[in-house]
């Protein structure tokens, strides 16, 4: 980010504090205007001629740059997969609690792996439980995998929308 006296162009296209177009002016005039208003003159791109610049309150430019960095870092990170364990004989209240936990995780941007521990012939009941949960959570996430029955557990992964 190039600001104030570090701008080397002879002319710049200036945008005001509230987004109004102030037009093309000499860099010296733009700097003078910035000093009068007690703000910074920030060059947004060097790829055009004259380069576009905008007037931004002192310190606000640094804050915007930090926010952009944080957003970029957040977008880079792959969503974490968080596991919620259940049993086929779960009570209604406990099931509601797990559903709310899954909603919060999905709204936070992470994926949820719903796992039902099974023993014996509880596979059908576990599959039914996972189907109802995925239907309830469909407004917050979508299935990444189908319901997988394997050995002693049934699992389904849901990704945030």
């Amino acid at each position: 980010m190039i600001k104030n006296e570090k701008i080397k162009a002879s002319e710049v296209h200036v945008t005001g504090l509230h987004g109004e177009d102030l037009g093309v002016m000499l860099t010296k005039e733009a700097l003078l205007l910035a000093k009068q208003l007690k703000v910074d003159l920030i060059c947004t791109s060097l790829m055009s001629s004259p380069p576009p610049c905008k007037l931004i309150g002192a310190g606000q430019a640094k804050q915007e740059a930090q926010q952009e960095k944080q957003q970029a870092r957040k977008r880079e990170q792959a969503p974490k997969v968080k596991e919620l364990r259940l049993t086929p004989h779960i009570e209604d209240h406990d099931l509601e609690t797990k559903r709310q936990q899954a909603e919060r995780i999905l709204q936070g941007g992470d994926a949820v792996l719903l796992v039902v521990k099974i023993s014996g012939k509880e596979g059908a009941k576990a599959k039914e439980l996972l189907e109802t949960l995925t239907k309830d959570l469909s407004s917050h996430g979508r299935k990444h995998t189908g319901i997988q029955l394997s050995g002693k557990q049934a699992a389904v992964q849901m990704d945030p929308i």
Side-chain angles (χ1 to χ4, degrees):
M1 174 183 0
I2 301 171
K3 70 181 196 179
N4 297 336
E5 285 78 21
K6 292 183 181 175
I7 300 171
K8 300 293 181 196
S10 58
E11 286 186 335
V12 291
H13 186 264
V14 183
T15 305
L17 285 169
H18 305 291
E20 67 275 7
D21 186 22
L22 301 177
V24 178
M25 59 176 72
L26 293 172
T27 306
K28 290 178 183 177
E29 290 177 22
L31 287 170
L32 199 79
L33 178 65
K35 283 183 182 174
Q36 287 174 352
L37 296 172
K38 295 181 181 164
V39 294
D40 289 328
L41 182 68
I42 306 293
C43 183
T44 56
S45 173
L46 295 174
M47 297 299 155
S48 60
S49 180
C53 294
K54 59 183 175 179
L55 297 172
I56 295 181
Q60 189 177 356
K62 204 174 204 179
Q63 199 173 21
E64 282 181 10
Q66 280 180 334
Q67 285 177 344
E68 283 180 29
K69 280 184 184 176
Q70 279 182 333
Q71 292 297 329
R73 207 175 305 129
K74 209 173 203 181
R75 277 184 251 117
E76 275 179 13
Q77 292 175 348
K80 294 178 185 171
V81 179
K82 298 192 177 183
E83 185 176 311
L84 287 180
R85 294 183 181 179
L86 310 143
T87 60
H89 304 292
I90 191 167
E91 296 289 325
D92 291 339
H93 177 266
D94 296 334
L95 181 63
E96 182 63 24
T97 303
K98 291 289 186 179
R99 188 187 61 71
Q100 288 175 355
Q101 282 179 333
E103 275 181 21
R104 275 195 302 263
I105 292 169
L106 288 169
Q107 286 173 346
D110 292 328
V112 177
L113 181 65
L114 300 167
V115 177
V116 179
K117 298 290 180 187
I118 52 178
S119 61
K121 298 179 180 177
E122 297 173 334
K125 196 169 186 180
K127 191 172 182 177
E128 185 181 311
L129 177 67
L130 286 175
E131 285 172 357
T132 56
L133 262 174
T134 54
K135 203 179 296 174
D136 291 345
L137 295 170
S138 63
S139 62
H140 301 286
R142 62 180 176 279
K143 282 199 272 186
H144 177 76
T145 60
I147 296 174
Q148 299 168 334
L149 286 167
S150 59
K152 296 182 179 180
Q153 70 180 23
V156 63
Q157 182 176 332
M158 294 193 74
D159 292 335
I161 294 178

